[in-house]
């Protein structure tokens, strides 16, 4: 696990369109999972930032998350 959690430096373009409050929400949501051992990836961060800035609705967010989970399971099964 990385020693420092600075997700905004890793993908600043995903955070640029967000308000300060939206950034805080995203960072807090991701940090809680990071503390449990999850390593953030761009796809997950992009999905969450898209949802918060209104680019996608909750149904699309859920669809994207389900698709990502399926791809990860398929990849793990193939390994």
């Amino acid at each position: 696990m990385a020693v420092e959690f600075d997700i905004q430096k890793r993908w600043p373009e995903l955070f640029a369109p967000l308000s300060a409050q939206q950034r805080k929400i995203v960072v807090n949501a991701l940090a809680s999972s990071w503390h449990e051992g999850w390593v953030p990836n761009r796809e997950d961060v992009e999905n969450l930032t898209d949802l918060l800035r209104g680019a996608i609705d909750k149904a699309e967010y859920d669809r994207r998350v389900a698709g990502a989970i399926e791809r990860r399971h398929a990849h793990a099964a193939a390994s």
Side-chain angles (χ1 to χ4, degrees):
M1 176 168 53
V3 175
E4 181 181 346
F5 183 78
D6 198 345
I7 197 73
Q8 293 183 73
K9 284 185 180 177
R10 190 163 182 192
W11 295 294
E13 72 280 5
L14 298 178
F15 288 87
L18 300 178
S19 70
Q21 180 63 26
Q22 289 170 323
R23 288 177 187 169
K24 184 177 179 178
I25 291 168
V26 171
V27 168
N28 287 341
L30 298 173
S32 66
S33 296
W34 178 75
H35 283 293
E36 297 297 323
W38 174 72
V39 178
N41 62 70
R42 190 180 198 290
E43 181 181 20
D44 292 340
V45 175
E46 183 174 17
N47 289 339
L48 190 54
T49 56
D50 282 355
L51 176 66
L52 259 77
R53 67 185 177 85
I56 61 173
D57 62 13
K58 178 75 165 87
E60 175 62 13
Y61 175 79
D62 291 343
R63 187 193 66 74
R64 288 183 182 187
V65 169
I69 291 168
E70 286 180 29
R71 286 189 303 280
R72 289 178 192 133
H73 284 144
H75 179 66
S79 297

